[in-house]
Amino acid sequence: MKKIILILILFILQSCQYFERSIPSEKELLKQKLKDINWNQVDEYPTVIECEKLTDVAQRKQCFFEFLTTTIQQKLSIDTLSVLYPELDTIEVKVTVFPNATIKFEPQFPNDSVAYDKVKIDSILVSKLIDFPKINPAIKHGIAVKTQFILPVILKRE
């Protein structure tokens, strides 16, 4: 009987090693988590109040971009850009939405475009878009993040 108990105790002690697992360090866990994150995508795109009622991610994104493009076009439609540059029908605008919900607009020009006064166009753009509606920033893992995108804005509608 003593032999059976001794064998049983040895078996139990030996089997405990199978349950031991090494616990990864915090640094290893952080490295793995950072490697798993896709840094080129956000969980939620920036949004405006008008689009927040939508639950579908694709519709919400589309609503946001349509709102942004339409609002910029409306604000620039009563502008001197079409008078100063009648040949300019579309302008690309780089929009940056910061985590603190501030917005920055920058006109984008092709490298070979020397016909436009970039400083003047930039100042007109900034002055017309200064009172832009509030945009909520994009969200990545529960944290507000900076996003940038380029929108083609049509200046002339015929």
Side-chain angles (χ1 to χ4, degrees):
M1 184 72 168
K2 287 183 182 182
K3 286 184 179 181
I4 294 175
I5 293 175
L6 184 63
I7 291 173
L8 202 62
I9 291 174
L10 286 174
F11 178 72
I12 290 172
L13 290 175
Q14 186 67 24
S15 66
C16 288
Q17 292 177 356
Y18 292 115
F19 298 111
E20 280 185 34
R21 291 188 179 156
S22 62
I23 300 172
S25 71
E26 286 181 36
K27 289 181 182 180
E28 289 173 357
L29 288 172
L30 180 62
K31 272 185 188 178
Q32 183 62 36
K33 185 68 174 170
L34 290 174
K35 195 165 68 170
D36 291 344
I37 295 173
N38 182 352
W39 292 103
N40 296 322
Q41 287 185 329
V42 293
D43 298 335
E44 293 179 32
Y45 277 88
T47 187
V48 290
I49 293 172
E50 289 82 357
C51 300
E52 287 184 356
K53 62 183 175 265
L54 299 171
T55 56
D56 182 56
V57 175
Q59 288 178 342
R60 200 172 188 175
K61 178 181 173 184
Q62 181 181 354
C63 174
F64 170 71
F65 283 112
E66 286 175 0
F67 172 84
L68 203 59
T69 304
T70 304
T71 306
I72 292 172
Q73 286 172 344
Q74 287 173 350
K75 289 184 172 286
L76 293 179
S77 67
I78 51 172
D79 192 57
T80 57
L81 279 178
S82 57
V83 174
L84 289 173
Y85 303 103
E87 71 282 354
L88 189 64
D89 63 346
T90 303
I91 186 170
E92 288 189 340
V93 178
K94 181 175 168 183
V95 180
T96 306
V97 181
F98 294 96
N100 63 357
T102 57
I103 311 162
K104 181 179 179 184
F105 299 98
E106 302 171 79
Q108 300 295 295
F109 300 98
N111 291 334
D112 61 346
S113 70
V114 291
Y116 306 115
D117 184 353
K118 296 175 185 177
V119 175
K120 188 179 276 188
I121 292 175
D122 186 45
S123 67
I124 291 170
L125 191 69
V126 169
S127 68
K128 290 295 181 177
L129 299 176
I130 200 150
D131 60 343
F132 206 80
K134 183 180 186 285
I135 294 179
N136 298 319
I139 303 293
K140 179 80 173 176
H141 289 281
I143 299 171
V145 293
K146 174 179 142 182
T147 50
Q148 289 183 324
F149 36 86
I150 296 178
L151 291 175
V153 178
I154 299 169
L155 298 174
K156 292 182 183 177
R157 296 222 177 233
E158 297 178 31

